[in-house]
Amino acid sequence: MNNFPLITILIPVYGHENLLKDSLNSSINQSYKNLEILVISDGSKKINTIKNIIEMSKDNRVKLIKNTKNLGVASVLNQGINISKGKFISWLSHDDIMDADKIKIQYEFLKEKKAKIVYSNFILFNNEYKKNIKSINLNKFNNQYLTLLSNDNIHGCSFLFDKKILDNLYKFNSNYKHVQDYDLWLRLSKKYRFFYQDKYLLFSRNHS
């Protein structure tokens, strides 16, 4: 493991707690093994459900962080970034699922390209259908900021970041309830280049 840096997966949880099982299993079963998995309860009223799912995993890489109040996903992600020990950060919504090789493929890409940010395509699914969504290929554009302004079909959970870039200036804005990820991508794109992988590495669940 010494040749492979620690990578942190952040999983905020609030509502639909039973869906955490699939999300957590997809993290635990990653082919890249040197992981820290932080499950963060955002004031969940079903904390015992979360605890049971974690205990059933029997994996000591999984840690539970409990917030007594609902802070919102932006604040919880910032909390996770501050606590995390990994050299790289990946965010996974507790109702989404990672491809088993997501972390491995993206880490190897960042290492090879000496890059800071990579993202991929994703598959939108529910019980009735699956739909492959191609993210915009920002590799093609010199001005990635302007391109992001006009096209936002990038899924936040498809990213892998070098943690060093997520300092106080580049954190999620807790004032935003729904566009905290898009806001951060825009700010990051002014300083860092986003690298696109034409691979489907995330399954995003579409539900109420």
Side-chain angles (χ1 to χ4, degrees), residues 16 23 46 55 60 63 84 87 111 122 125 144 147 156 173 183 185 192 201:
H16 297 284
S23 175
K46 296 183 178 180
E55 288 172 3
N60 59 16
K63 303 290 188 298
S84 66
K87 185 175 180 180
K111 183 179 179 182
F122 59 98
F125 79 100
Q144 295 190 340
T147 306
N173 189 331
D183 165 71
W185 315 153
Y192 300 100
L201 300 178

Side-chain angles (χ1 to χ4, degrees), residues 163-177:
K163 183 183 175 181
K164 288 181 180 178
I165 71 172
L166 299 174
D167 57 19
N168 290 331
L169 181 62
Y170 297 108
K171 289 282 180 65
F172 294 95
N173 189 331
S174 59
N175 292 320
Y176 296 145
K177 188 173 183 179

Side-chain angles (χ1 to χ4, degrees), residues 109-120:
F109 180 91
L110 290 180
K111 183 179 179 182
E112 178 188 353
K113 300 292 185 181
K114 296 181 179 179
K116 303 293 185 184
I117 303 170
V118 63
Y119 67 99
S120 72

Side-chain angles (χ1 to χ4, degrees), residues 17 23 39 41 44 56 64 81 93 97 101 103 106 116 127-128 136 140 145 149 164 168 171 176 183 196:
E17 285 83 356
S23 175
V39 177
S41 168
S44 170
M56 286 174 61
L64 174 60
I81 291 166
S93 295
I97 300 169
D101 293 320
I103 300 297
Q106 293 191 318
K116 303 293 185 184
N127 293 332
E128 298 176 355
I136 185 171
K140 294 181 178 180
Y145 176 82
L149 277 177
K164 288 181 180 178
N168 290 331
K171 289 282 180 65
Y176 296 145
D183 165 71
Y196 164 73

Side-chain angles (χ1 to χ4, degrees), residues 24-129:
L24 185 58
N25 283 339
S26 77
S27 300
I28 290 170
N29 294 324
Q30 287 293 301
S31 56
Y32 188 100
K33 297 302 181 185
N34 195 17
L35 297 173
E36 170 189 56
I37 303 169
L38 301 182
V39 177
I40 309 175
S41 168
D42 189 16
S44 170
K45 296 177 181 178
K46 296 183 178 180
I47 189 65
N48 287 335
T49 299
I50 297 172
K51 286 181 179 178
N52 289 338
I53 290 171
I54 291 174
E55 288 172 3
M56 286 174 61
S57 75
K58 298 180 180 178
D59 194 309
N60 59 16
R61 296 174 300 172
V62 183
K63 303 290 188 298
L64 174 60
I65 298 164
K66 294 180 288 184
N67 291 318
T68 56
K69 295 181 179 180
N70 180 246
L71 303 175
V73 66
S75 294
V76 166
L77 287 171
N78 289 339
Q79 177 188 21
I81 291 166
N82 291 335
I83 294 171
S84 66
K85 298 177 182 177
K87 185 175 180 180
F88 299 91
I89 299 281
S90 184
W91 157 33
L92 181 62
S93 295
H94 80 280
D95 50 0
D96 293 341
I97 300 169
M98 287 181 173
D99 180 89
D101 293 320
K102 177 186 184 291
I103 300 297
K104 178 178 181 289
I105 288 171
Q106 293 191 318
Y107 164 69
E108 290 176 348
F109 180 91
L110 290 180
K111 183 179 179 182
E112 178 188 353
K113 300 292 185 181
K114 296 181 179 179
K116 303 293 185 184
I117 303 170
V118 63
Y119 67 99
S120 72
N121 302 323
F122 59 98
I123 297 173
L124 193 66
F125 79 100
N126 61 24
N127 293 332
E128 298 176 355
Y129 74 91

Side-chain angles (χ1 to χ4, degrees), residues 140-154:
K140 294 181 178 180
F141 302 94
N142 289 326
N143 193 324
Q144 295 190 340
Y145 176 82
L146 289 179
T147 306
L148 276 169
L149 277 177
S150 63
N151 195 322
D152 67 345
N153 71 325
I154 294 178

